[in-house]
Amino acid sequence: MILRNTLSRVIGFLFSLLILAGLFLASNVYGYTNTSWTSVFHAYMAFDGSNVHIIIRELRLPRALVAVLVGSALAISGALMQALTRNPMASPGILGVNSGAGFFIVAGVALLSISAQSEMIWFSFAGAAVAAIFVYLISSVGREGLTPLKLTLAGATIAALFASFTASVLVTDESTLDSVLFWLAGSVDGRKIEHIRPVLPFFVIGLGSALLLGKAMNVISVGEDVAKGLGQNTFRLKMISLLIVVLLAGGSVSIAGPIGFVGLVIPHIVRGVVGRDYRWVIPYCGLFGAILLVTADISARFVAFPKEVPVGVMTAIVGAPFFIYLARKELLKS
């Protein structure tokens, strides 16, 4: 733990906020079209309708906003899942929540021809909820009840199942494949303010509710028996937390596709910085998740320049080795 007292954590939070603000502005500056920091300033303070100003305000600003919202949502949902399950490898991607949401959207596009963001949101929520419930039920079967290993295996199974369902739909419907292929890899490119508005209330509710759960997460992360002994209604807390995860992860998938590993990596980094007090872990996860995804999005524009790679590829480059490290660490423990 690097930041050990309240003052240092507040200073660290403000410093991280400044980093995020700088990256947010950088996301408005750098890309295929050559622009400058001065151009960004004039685009907002003295808009003249030029192509450069339109690119900054209509394309890059919404893209940066989506990266901030999705990065925060995925990191916080990962922190909640790890606290509830006491499983260091829990995250929306690893436990199949993203895959479930993605499959429901693909099925909706293929079978019902949905295209509006307001329609995709509800399909994404439904898929995320179904996947989360299935994983919880499957991993709870047996004499030992829910264990971290069973949860991880159940999540991997459900994720693979929904991924195979998604692939089968895409194979049989080429028009759907063309429309969702780039989205399925996880991307914030091409998003506009119109895509953000329908999902923004759900992000606000989910993020705000998560911030209020810090104290309860501290108790249940120690153990369910301890939480019950302290008077905690663990069933109600689990249901509320599951609803928050569905709102955050489902909303993220609906707008940016199934971006993986943010919810896995960020909570571990944050706990290494501020410790295990979830009153600090949750807000820091929101900041660090946004920083990671905005940084990944900026990098994705230049890795294969002049073409772009999906931001989900960039997060996988960081997250996959981290997942292998965690898996080896857990195996050594057992």
Side-chain angles (χ1 to χ4, degrees), residues 237-322:
L237 178 59
K238 287 179 179 179
M239 292 301 101
I240 293 173
S241 301
L242 178 62
L243 178 60
I244 293 172
V245 169
V246 168
L247 288 176
L248 296 179
S252 298
V253 173
S254 72
I255 197 171
I259 296 174
F261 295 106
V262 177
L264 173 69
V265 173
I266 293 300
H268 287 277
I269 295 174
V270 168
R271 286 192 292 268
V273 174
V274 300
R276 296 183 173 274
D277 186 345
Y278 277 83
R279 293 173 297 178
W280 288 101
V281 168
I282 292 173
Y284 261 89
C285 277
L287 264 183
F288 281 26
I291 288 172
L292 173 62
L293 204 58
V294 173
T295 303
D297 181 45
I298 295 172
S299 303
R301 305 175 194 182
F302 297 100
V303 168
F305 191 82
K307 295 182 179 180
E308 291 189 16
V309 298
V311 70
V313 174
M314 301 303 298
T315 59
I317 291 173
V318 175
F322 195 85

Side-chain angles (χ1 to χ4, degrees), residues 60 91 123 216 224 279 326:
R60 292 184 182 169
S91 73
F123 278 83
E224 190 165 348
R279 293 173 297 178
L326 282 178

Side-chain angles (χ1 to χ4, degrees), residues 204-224:
V204 172
I205 293 170
L207 293 171
S209 300
L211 291 172
L212 298 176
L213 289 181
K215 188 175 180 180
M217 288 294 111
N218 283 339
V219 176
I220 200 169
S221 63
V222 178
E224 190 165 348

Side-chain angles (χ1 to χ4, degrees), residues 3-326:
L3 307 178
R4 297 180 179 275
N5 55 58
T6 300
L7 178 61
S8 62
R9 289 169 179 171
V10 170
I11 294 172
F13 189 85
L14 294 175
F15 182 70
S16 300
L17 200 59
L18 287 175
I19 293 175
L20 177 59
L23 289 168
F24 186 89
L25 291 174
S27 181
N28 281 256
V29 174
Y30 299 112
Y32 179 80
T33 302
N34 186 27
T35 57
S36 64
W37 292 85
T38 304
S39 301
V40 171
F41 177 81
H42 288 301
Y44 294 110
M45 298 300 164
F47 181 72
D48 60 11
S50 64
N51 287 338
V52 169
H53 285 190
I54 290 173
I55 288 171
I56 292 170
R57 291 181 56 155
E58 301 296 327
L59 297 178
R60 292 184 182 169
L61 173 62
R63 180 172 180 168
L65 287 172
V66 169
V68 168
L69 288 172
V70 171
S72 296
L74 290 175
I76 289 176
S77 58
L80 293 179
M81 295 176 81
Q82 289 174 15
L84 284 173
T85 63
R86 293 183 305 270
N87 181 357
M89 293 190 289
S91 73
I94 302 301
L95 297 189
V97 176
N98 286 354
S99 296
F103 166 69
F104 270 58
I105 289 179
V106 170
V109 172
L111 302 177
L112 301 176
S113 301
I114 66 168
S115 58
Q117 183 65 40
S118 56
E119 296 172 322
M120 288 187 178
I121 292 171
W122 296 109
F123 278 83
S124 184
F125 287 157
V130 168
I133 291 170
F134 267 117
V135 169
Y136 183 80
L137 291 176
I138 293 171
S139 57
S140 298
V141 173
R143 187 177 301 173
E144 313 88 11
L146 190 149
T147 65
L149 179 59
K150 287 169 64 178
L151 191 71
T152 303
L153 293 175
T157 302
I158 293 298
L161 181 65
F162 278 120
S164 65
F165 287 165
T166 301
S168 64
V169 172
L170 296 177
V171 167
T172 57
D173 191 336
E174 291 186 5
S175 61
T176 303
L177 175 63
D178 293 338
S179 62
V180 302
L181 186 59
F182 197 73
W183 170 86
L184 276 173
S187 175
V188 298
D189 185 25
R191 304 301 182 263
K192 298 182 179 180
I193 295 295
E194 291 76 18
H195 295 113
I196 299 174
R197 287 196 188 105
V199 76
L200 185 59
F202 300 105
F203 276 132
V204 172
I205 293 170
L207 293 171
S209 300
L211 291 172
L212 298 176
L213 289 181
K215 188 175 180 180
M217 288 294 111
N218 283 339
V219 176
I220 200 169
S221 63
V222 178
E224 190 165 348
D225 292 336
V226 174
K228 288 180 179 178
L230 294 173
Q232 187 78 260
N233 188 330
T234 57
F235 178 78
R236 183 176 63 186
L237 178 59
K238 287 179 179 179
M239 292 301 101
I240 293 173
S241 301
L242 178 62
L243 178 60
I244 293 172
V245 169
V246 168
L247 288 176
L248 296 179
S252 298
V253 173
S254 72
I255 197 171
I259 296 174
F261 295 106
V262 177
L264 173 69
V265 173
I266 293 300
H268 287 277
I269 295 174
V270 168
R271 286 192 292 268
V273 174
V274 300
R276 296 183 173 274
D277 186 345
Y278 277 83
R279 293 173 297 178
W280 288 101
V281 168
I282 292 173
Y284 261 89
C285 277
L287 264 183
F288 281 26
I291 288 172
L292 173 62
L293 204 58
V294 173
T295 303
D297 181 45
I298 295 172
S299 303
R301 305 175 194 182
F302 297 100
V303 168
F305 191 82
K307 295 182 179 180
E308 291 189 16
V309 298
V311 70
V313 174
M314 301 303 298
T315 59
I317 291 173
V318 175
F322 195 85
F323 177 74
I324 294 171
Y325 163 75
L326 282 178

